[in-house]
Amino acid sequence: LGREALYILGNTKSQLAYHALNTAYEFVSDKMKPLIKKSLSTLKLSGVREDNSKEFYKKLLSSSKPYRCCITYPDGHGNQALIFSRTNDEKRVQFVAVVINDYNGIRDCFGFYDISQFECDKIIERFYKNEEILNIDAKALKTILVHAEKLSKQKTSNWLLPYEYVCWKNLLADIDNDNDDFETILTSKYPPQKAIIDNFDVMEHWFLDAHYSSEFESFLENLNQKIKSDLNKIDFEKEVEETLYNIFYPEEKEIWHKRLLTCAYLKMLEGKDTQASNILAIYNEDKAFEEILKTILRKSIYEYYFTLKYNTEENNNKFTLKELDEIIEKIESKWVQNV
């Protein structure tokens, strides 16, 4: 199918085919690259010698303009929900919703080609429900999406972008984006400073659920056994320190580390420069970042036992309610101000 598609594209005499072939060249295996070069040569012989696809889409989009652009802060799994929309003179809207995360980039996408502004606003309201959303400009949204695309491309030589996203992303063709990464953008704006960890509001939903990873599951199983043996001997803080970098192993740690840059960038877009510069400072200080990871793990332990108390299926007779009350009381006496 791929070989046949390359042959067809090469014989279309289309500037869009030229763009598609150039883009595909970044993802295909080495054995397919000569076929792409051959198709590009065929296009050049027919007179298509440069990528004018951006101008093509700009012309198509000239009768509409960006309407609403929204995004959420990353949750504990690094997921973010983005919405981009365009409106025309008749107040009709083209609407696109995208889910990204900082592990694999673009994860999912859907859109509506022709809805009213009222319908668009209601969908946005329902899409985000009670989540805090940030309204941003189109350039910032495209910058974030381009960053997520790069993550998708780093994971494998196969095409990881959802088909729907490949189609709908053309609604952003006339929007410029910032080519610098988040760290470069932030560093150029905020001078170095001492990190302050208090009131770090972006962490509100940052904790690991019971099945977050095999490392965390194993840690909880061992911790449960120790608690069953003798709760009074458990030093929860020691447990956190000893397992911290087993759960946040180098690759996992780096993802959480980069998540700080995303949050700082969003704070900058909100005009909250004090918070943005402080998050950047935490990113740049190893000790401050380590304390963030410890706080996440403390919250995760606390949330786990709190969940067991009210979720009998998850508890599955691990502990009695009395035992859970004792565990939670001990945790709260140690960490209640820190979690």
Side-chain angles (χ1 to χ4, degrees):
L1 286 174
R3 291 169 184 269
E4 185 65 19
L6 290 179
Y7 174 78
I8 293 171
L9 285 170
N11 287 277
T12 57
K13 301 181 182 180
S14 168
Q15 58 186 320
L16 299 182
Y18 191 93
H19 173 78
L21 289 167
N22 270 322
T23 303
Y25 191 82
E26 302 176 31
F27 303 97
V28 299
S29 62
D30 289 341
K31 68 179 181 180
M32 296 291 281
K33 288 184 177 180
L35 297 177
I36 290 182
K37 286 183 177 180
K38 182 178 179 180
S39 289
L40 283 169
S41 297
T42 304
L43 279 174
K44 289 176 182 178
L45 287 172
S46 68
V48 181
R49 299 180 179 277
E50 58 182 321
D51 185 354
N52 293 319
S53 58
K54 188 172 183 179
E55 287 70 25
F56 174 86
Y57 283 111
K58 278 186 175 181
K59 186 176 180 180
L60 284 181
L61 297 169
S62 61
S63 61
S64 67
K65 61 183 179 180
Y67 178 47
R68 293 187 62 181
C69 298
C70 312
I71 189 171
T72 59
Y73 278 89
D75 64 13
H77 291 264
N79 296 312
Q80 293 176 269
L82 299 85
I83 282 175
F84 173 72
S85 57
R86 301 184 71 97
T87 186
N88 59 25
D89 293 338
E90 287 75 39
K91 308 288 186 186
R92 303 300 293 178
V93 175
Q94 294 171 310
F95 171 100
V96 185
V98 186
V99 176
I100 66 174
N101 69 29
D102 48 20
Y103 288 88
N104 301 105
I106 310 292
R107 304 305 301 145
D108 204 357
C109 177
F110 70 90
F112 300 104
Y113 186 75
D114 185 17
I115 59 177
S116 68
Q117 288 187 1
F118 174 79
E119 289 171 320
C120 175
D121 294 340
K122 293 303 291 184
I123 293 171
I124 290 175
E125 181 183 327
R126 293 176 183 177
F127 186 72
Y128 289 116
K129 294 182 181 177
N130 297 320
E131 289 189 68
E132 179 185 353
I133 64 170
L134 174 61
N135 294 296
I136 60 177
D137 62 34
K139 180 179 179 180
L141 183 134
K142 185 168 181 178
T143 298
I144 293 166
L145 283 176
V146 169
H147 175 76
E149 279 189 30
K150 290 177 180 177
L151 281 180
S152 294
K153 295 169 185 176
Q154 288 171 2
K155 293 296 176 181
T156 176
S157 60
N158 293 321
W159 183 277
L160 281 181
L161 297 174
Y163 168 76
E164 293 82 358
Y165 176 76
V166 176
C167 298
W168 285 110
K169 65 175 285 191
N170 290 322
L171 290 184
L172 290 162
D174 61 341
I175 306 299
D176 293 324
N177 62 279
D178 199 324
N179 290 318
D180 290 328
D181 59 32
F182 294 155
E183 185 172 5
T184 301
I185 295 169
L186 293 162
T187 302
S188 67
K189 185 175 176 66
Y190 302 114
Q193 67 176 61
K194 184 69 177 174
I196 302 171
I197 298 179
D198 292 342
N199 196 27
F200 194 54
D201 62 346
V202 298
M203 284 183 59
E204 182 180 354
H205 302 295
W206 286 10
F207 58 87
L208 317 181
D209 59 48
H211 307 291
Y212 180 84
S213 66
S214 58
E215 292 81 7
F216 188 54
E217 284 184 342
S218 178
F219 165 72
L220 291 176
E221 289 175 7
N222 291 332
L223 186 59
N224 287 342
Q225 291 176 7
K226 292 178 182 179
I227 289 173
K228 278 288 190 182
S229 176
D230 191 343
L231 173 62
N232 294 323
K233 289 184 178 180
I234 296 292
D235 183 341
F236 284 104
E237 188 62 29
K238 183 180 178 182
E239 295 290 336
V240 166
E241 291 178 357
E242 289 182 349
T243 197
L244 186 67
Y245 289 118
N246 180 47
I247 293 171
F248 295 107
Y249 51 88
E251 294 83 1
E252 179 74 4
K253 177 185 174 184
E254 183 61 17
I255 287 172
W256 285 86
H257 196 211
K258 291 285 182 64
R259 193 171 297 168
L260 294 179
L261 292 176
T262 300
C263 293
Y265 180 73
L266 293 178
K267 288 292 184 186
M268 181 192 75
L269 296 178
E270 277 194 280
K272 296 181 178 179
D273 292 329
T274 300
Q275 294 182 48
S277 59
N278 183 54
I279 296 173
L280 179 62
I282 294 172
Y283 172 84
N284 287 323
E285 288 186 25
D286 291 342
K287 283 294 182 184
F289 177 56
E290 183 179 88
E291 188 56 35
I292 293 295
L293 294 180
K294 287 182 179 179
T295 300
I296 292 167
L297 190 49
R298 294 180 191 122
K299 287 178 66 175
S300 303
I301 293 170
Y302 181 57
E303 290 285 345
Y304 170 69
Y305 289 107
F306 214 85
T307 299
L308 292 188
K309 181 177 178 179
Y310 296 100
N311 187 328
T312 54
E313 185 177 343
E314 185 70 39
N315 186 2
N316 195 24
N317 297 318
K318 293 183 179 72
F319 299 99
T320 65
L321 289 179
K322 182 176 182 297
E323 288 172 329
L324 286 168
D325 283 336
E326 292 173 351
I327 295 168
I328 292 169
E329 182 180 355
K330 181 162 186 177
I331 292 173
E332 288 180 340
S333 68
K334 181 76 174 177
W335 290 338
V336 69
Q337 308 245 330
N338 299 322
V339 299

